[in-house]
Amino acid sequence: MSELRIKQRITTMDELLNTLRQFAAERDWDQFHSPKNLSMALAVEASELLEIFQWMQESESLAPNAVTRERIAEELADVFVYCLLMSNKLDIDLLQAAQSKMQKNAEKYPADKVKGSNKKYTEY
Amino acid sequence: MSELRIKQRITTMDELLNTLRQFAAERDWDQFHSPKNLSMALAVEASELLEIFQWMQESESLAPNAVTRERIAEELADVFVYCLLMSNKLDIDLLQAAQSKMQKNAEKYPADKVKGSNKKYTEY
Amino acid sequence: MSELRIKQRITTMDELLNTLRQFAAERDWDQFHSPKNLSMALAVEASELLEIFQWMQESESLAPNAVTRERIAEELADVFVYCLLMSNKLDIDLLQAAQSKMQKNAEKYPADKVKGSNKKYTEY
Amino acid sequence: MSELRIKQRITTMDELLNTLRQFAAERDWDQFHSPKNLSMALAVEASELLEIFQWMQESESLAPNAVTRERIAEELADVFVYCLLMSNKLDIDLLQAAQSKMQKNAEKYPADKVKGSNKKYTEY
């Protein structure tokens, strides 16, 4: 996929999604991308990120070295890619879905009640 | 957080990230958001998405009903939100990281070799 | 399933597995228990355990209160149950598989080389 | 850990747990095994199992070839090992916890109501 290498830098989610679609189409991989399978791939990638941090102390995780930071960026990128593929497959607008969810969260966790607490909302 | 509700529709990742930062700041939650903890939260949300599909057939997952689709959108939004929080915490440019990863993937999985196959690249 | 309640205390993995088989049979749930689906259910339960710890400090996690400890026991039990169902479905002897894996691990991580280190074996 | 190799075959959870304890002690790894970290390791291993099945059809997963079956056994063993380490760390009796959970499940999902259905109990 030499086109990717010479391509200008991607600057929007739509451009990235177009690249992802092209990548899957060239490999005839769309047939494997049922939402069920994509949810599995997304969880697998999320756990590869988790793996990086599993034996680290929280304080260490705040200042990873360059090599570790690069691994984190790669795994996070994979998670993001599967988010986009899933949203594309089910025609979900990710930004709008996130905005709606934040509005729900704002009601579930009123700032004055939960300030500085890590308790779950069910405990309020 | 009534400001959220009256806000114009969010249309870019940067706008969403600003909203997320404000949301966490108002609750003094940034203290819990170490990369280690965020990787856990991200994996938890990815699994809540997984849960929706666990007993579904692949064909069913391609055409969820409206209620299920709404649940999917919410869980996917949660995953996306933690992606952004993690990228923000470690100053990672998600779009650029995804573009780099896609370029690596293009080399690992040459289109002419992997077309239509679900084998892992290690098997090529 | 009143038989369960009056049953003697379960003391072996085989007894537990027999109970699980009976439970699934009475509900005609075996049809959903493909290894693919069981791997999803297992990951979902593992993440419900993860959720309990996501905002906790490591030191807190070492001494959970009684309510939290009970939640941990329940989620851990769910993970264990799906381990057993998967092993049963594919006729895998869990104890033997674990013993084999420990022998491999003993070779990958020689005690004198890795003592006190949390580095991954690939780094040795 | 040559003792492991010459050891008799492990036939009970207690024997396996003793081996695991010895393995961790020889490597001074117990210091990393906080319940928080163990919950992460458990989720990571559960996802390595998930990864095997992510692009497979359900029917394929019912009859894996010998190589795949061996990989499944190894990943399942890892999950089981972390279950045991977590139960040991928090002094939880896994068999008893599983029995209690099954009794709760029997009440949540009465056989006559849920027979043959994959709906979640909240929908009953």
Side-chain angles (χ1 to χ4, degrees):
Chain A
M1 198 152 103
S2 53
E3 318 83 70
L4 264 179
R5 245 164 274 133
I6 55 166
K7 206 179 174 300
Q8 302 282 323
R9 186 168 158 186
I10 288 174
T11 57
T12 69
M13 287 169 69
D14 282 345
E15 283 174 19
L16 178 56
L17 189 50
N18 283 336
T19 305
L20 299 176
R21 275 204 208 98
Q22 183 194 341
F23 185 91
E26 288 175 352
R27 282 155 189 77
D28 203 9
W29 278 358
D30 194 61
Q31 61 182 309
F32 304 117
H33 289 181
S34 65
K36 181 179 175 105
N37 287 0
L38 289 174
S39 77
M40 296 175 80
L42 182 55
V44 166
E45 297 303 338
S47 280
E48 292 184 0
L49 190 62
L50 196 63
E51 190 180 10
I52 299 174
F53 297 108
Q54 66 186 337
W55 309 121
M56 245 187 236
Q57 289 177 20
E58 271 190 75
S59 53
E60 284 177 83
S61 80
L62 284 161
N65 64 31
V67 173
T68 304
R69 200 177 159 287
E70 181 57 28
R71 280 181 62 207
I72 295 167
E74 283 201 17
E75 299 303 348
L76 194 59
D78 282 332
V79 174
F80 183 42
V81 159
Y82 282 114
C83 271
L84 284 172
L85 287 173
M86 175 77 93
S87 72
N88 176 56
K89 183 62 85 174
L90 292 175
D91 204 20
I92 290 168
D93 182 326
L94 261 188
L95 287 168
Q96 200 185 321
Q99 184 171 14
S100 298
K101 193 61 199 299
M102 290 310 292
Q103 283 163 344
K104 277 199 177 185
N105 284 350
E107 287 159 31
K108 276 206 307 193
Y109 307 92
D112 57 335
K113 276 202 174 175
V114 303
K115 196 152 190 174
S117 165
N118 62 349
K119 281 191 195 130
K120 253 199 90 110
Y121 69 98
T122 47
E123 301 178 43
Y124 292 104
Chain B
M1 198 151 103
S2 55
E3 317 84 70
L4 265 179
R5 245 163 274 130
I6 55 166
K7 206 178 175 300
Q8 303 284 322
R9 186 168 157 185
I10 288 175
T11 56
T12 68
M13 287 169 69
D14 282 345
E15 283 174 20
L16 177 56
L17 189 50
N18 283 335
T19 306
L20 298 177
R21 275 204 208 98
Q22 183 193 341
F23 186 90
E26 288 174 354
R27 282 155 188 78
D28 202 10
W29 277 358
D30 194 61
Q31 61 181 310
F32 303 118
H33 289 180
S34 65
K36 181 178 175 105
N37 287 0
L38 289 174
S39 76
M40 296 176 80
L42 181 55
V44 166
E45 298 303 338
S47 280
E48 291 184 1
L49 190 62
L50 197 63
E51 190 181 11
I52 299 175
F53 297 108
Q54 66 185 338
W55 308 122
M56 245 187 236
Q57 290 177 19
E58 272 189 75
S59 53
E60 284 178 83
S61 80
L62 284 161
N65 64 30
V67 172
T68 303
R69 201 179 158 287
E70 181 56 28
R71 280 181 64 208
I72 295 167
E74 283 201 17
E75 300 302 349
L76 194 58
D78 282 332
V79 174
F80 183 42
V81 159
Y82 281 114
C83 271
L84 284 173
L85 287 173
M86 175 76 92
S87 72
N88 176 56
K89 183 61 85 176
L90 292 175
D91 204 20
I92 290 167
D93 182 325
L94 261 188
L95 288 168
Q96 199 185 322
Q99 184 171 14
S100 298
K101 193 63 198 298
M102 291 310 292
Q103 284 164 344
K104 277 200 177 184
N105 284 350
E107 287 159 30
K108 276 205 308 194
Y109 306 92
D112 57 335
K113 276 202 174 174
V114 303
K115 197 153 189 171
S117 165
N118 62 350
K119 281 191 194 126
K120 253 202 89 112
Y121 69 98
T122 47
E123 302 179 44
Y124 292 105
Chain C
M1 199 151 104
S2 54
E3 317 84 71
L4 265 179
R5 246 163 273 132
I6 57 167
K7 207 180 173 297
Q8 304 283 323
R9 185 168 156 186
I10 287 174
T11 57
T12 68
M13 286 169 69
D14 281 345
E15 284 174 19
L16 178 56
L17 188 50
N18 283 335
T19 306
L20 298 178
R21 276 204 208 97
Q22 184 193 341
F23 186 90
E26 288 175 354
R27 282 155 189 78
D28 202 9
W29 278 357
D30 194 60
Q31 60 181 311
F32 304 118
H33 289 181
S34 65
K36 181 179 175 106
N37 287 0
L38 289 175
S39 76
M40 296 175 81
L42 182 54
V44 166
E45 297 303 337
S47 280
E48 291 184 0
L49 191 61
L50 196 64
E51 190 181 11
I52 298 175
F53 297 108
Q54 67 187 338
W55 309 123
M56 245 187 237
Q57 290 178 17
E58 272 190 75
S59 53
E60 284 177 83
S61 80
L62 284 161
N65 64 29
V67 173
T68 304
R69 200 178 159 286
E70 181 58 28
R71 280 181 63 206
I72 295 167
E74 283 201 18
E75 300 302 349
L76 194 58
D78 282 333
V79 174
F80 183 42
V81 159
Y82 282 114
C83 270
L84 284 172
L85 288 173
M86 176 76 93
S87 72
N88 176 57
K89 184 60 86 175
L90 293 175
D91 204 20
I92 290 167
D93 182 324
L94 259 188
L95 287 168
Q96 199 185 320
Q99 185 172 12
S100 299
K101 193 62 198 299
M102 290 310 293
Q103 285 164 344
K104 278 200 177 182
N105 284 350
E107 288 159 31
K108 275 205 307 193
Y109 308 92
D112 56 337
K113 277 202 175 173
V114 303
K115 198 153 188 172
S117 164
N118 62 350
K119 281 189 194 132
K120 253 201 91 110
Y121 69 98
T122 48
E123 302 178 42
Y124 292 103
Chain D
M1 199 150 101
S2 54
E3 316 85 69
L4 265 179
R5 245 164 274 131
I6 56 166
K7 206 179 175 296
Q8 302 283 323
R9 186 168 155 185
I10 288 174
T11 57
T12 69
M13 286 168 69
D14 282 345
E15 284 174 19
L16 177 56
L17 189 51
N18 283 336
T19 306
L20 299 177
R21 275 203 209 100
Q22 183 194 340
F23 186 90
E26 288 175 354
R27 283 156 188 77
D28 202 10
W29 278 357
D30 194 60
Q31 60 181 310
F32 303 118
H33 290 181
S34 65
K36 180 179 175 107
N37 287 0
L38 288 174
S39 76
M40 297 175 80
L42 182 55
V44 166
E45 297 303 337
S47 280
E48 292 184 0
L49 191 61
L50 196 64
E51 189 181 11
I52 299 174
F53 297 108
Q54 65 187 339
W55 308 122
M56 246 188 236
Q57 289 178 19
E58 272 190 76
S59 53
E60 285 177 83
S61 79
L62 283 162
N65 63 31
V67 173
T68 304
R69 200 178 159 286
E70 182 57 29
R71 280 181 64 206
I72 295 167
E74 284 201 18
E75 300 303 349
L76 194 58
D78 282 333
V79 174
F80 183 41
V81 159
Y82 282 114
C83 270
L84 284 172
L85 287 173
M86 175 77 92
S87 72
N88 176 57
K89 183 62 86 177
L90 293 175
D91 204 20
I92 290 167
D93 182 324
L94 260 188
L95 288 168
Q96 200 185 321
Q99 185 171 13
S100 298
K101 193 62 198 299
M102 290 310 292
Q103 285 165 343
K104 276 200 177 182
N105 284 350
E107 287 158 31
K108 276 206 304 196
Y109 307 91
D112 57 335
K113 278 203 174 172
V114 303
K115 197 152 189 172
S117 164
N118 61 351
K119 280 190 195 130
K120 253 200 89 111
Y121 69 97
T122 47
E123 302 178 43
Y124 292 104

